[in-house]
Amino acid sequence: MKEAFADPSLHDPHWRAFILDMEGMSMPGDWRRFRADLRRLERRHTGRVPAAPMHRAIAEDAFLCAAHWEQTPRIVRGALRALLRYPLRFALYSFVAAEYWRWAFKVSPDDLPAAEAMLVKVREALPTLDEHERWNTEGLLASLKRL
């Protein structure tokens, strides 16, 4: 797995404003309206914050909200594809894999093989992790077995 580029610091007032705006708009509701709000958020902050971290953060929010709100397979798959275009930290990749698996388990059993393939990558990386990260990842994987 690729190592992610670093997000700007929250000490940067523009990045902090972007993150706060994004957190303020992430509430369940109409998916079309949510996506339109994300596009407005992007336009509002373009040129003030670095483009790559902003687009990755928006893609992450879109995927996690789509999976959590149990959107249709087309929506979740599209949001996942958009997110996986960016290099993700291992912890984020494993969380995304777990969320995808949870969503597939509840909503779209046809997606379970793809979700399992992501989890296989996570399991394969376990021996290379430091003790703390391995413990966290094993806990995440154990939570999926309880479903």
Side-chain angles (χ1 to χ4, degrees):
M1 259 165 267
K2 301 174 194 168
E3 197 56 36
F5 46 86
D7 285 347
S9 167
L10 286 175
H11 293 293
D12 175 346
H14 297 295
W15 183 254
R16 184 176 176 79
F18 166 72
I19 294 297
L20 291 173
D21 281 355
M22 190 170 61
E23 288 174 354
M25 60 164 282
S26 297
M27 56 184 109
D30 179 31
W31 182 253
R32 290 174 132 180
R33 184 174 170 196
F34 174 72
R35 292 297 293 165
D37 288 345
L38 285 178
R39 286 188 291 277
R40 273 192 294 282
L41 175 76
E42 179 181 359
R43 284 192 303 272
R44 189 177 322 129
H45 292 279
T46 295
R48 294 185 179 134
V49 298
M54 176 180 66
H55 291 138
R56 194 245 347 118
I58 290 171
E60 179 184 340
D61 199 40
F63 169 74
L64 293 175
C65 288
H68 183 72
W69 298 343
E70 299 181 358
Q71 293 295 311
T72 65
R74 183 185 64 78
I75 289 172
V76 173
R77 287 181 202 135
L80 180 62
R81 269 192 311 277
L83 177 58
L84 292 178
R85 287 185 197 131
Y86 299 95
L88 304 177
R89 296 177 330 274
F90 178 78
L92 178 57
Y93 181 87
S94 43
F95 184 70
V96 165
E99 286 301 310
Y100 184 45
W101 189 90
R102 281 186 186 108
W103 169 82
F105 184 78
K106 291 180 182 179
V107 178
S108 179
D110 292 344
D111 285 276
L112 275 172
E116 280 292 335
M118 288 179 73
L119 290 175
V120 164
K121 289 181 183 179
V122 171
R123 287 184 190 102
E124 288 173 351
L126 281 175
T128 66
L129 302 175
D130 66 41
E131 184 180 339
H132 179 71
E133 196 168 21
R134 185 173 42 255
W135 183 80
N136 282 338
T137 305
E138 287 171 347
L140 179 69
L141 294 172
S143 73
L144 297 177
K145 292 177 184 172
R146 290 192 295 264
L147 287 178

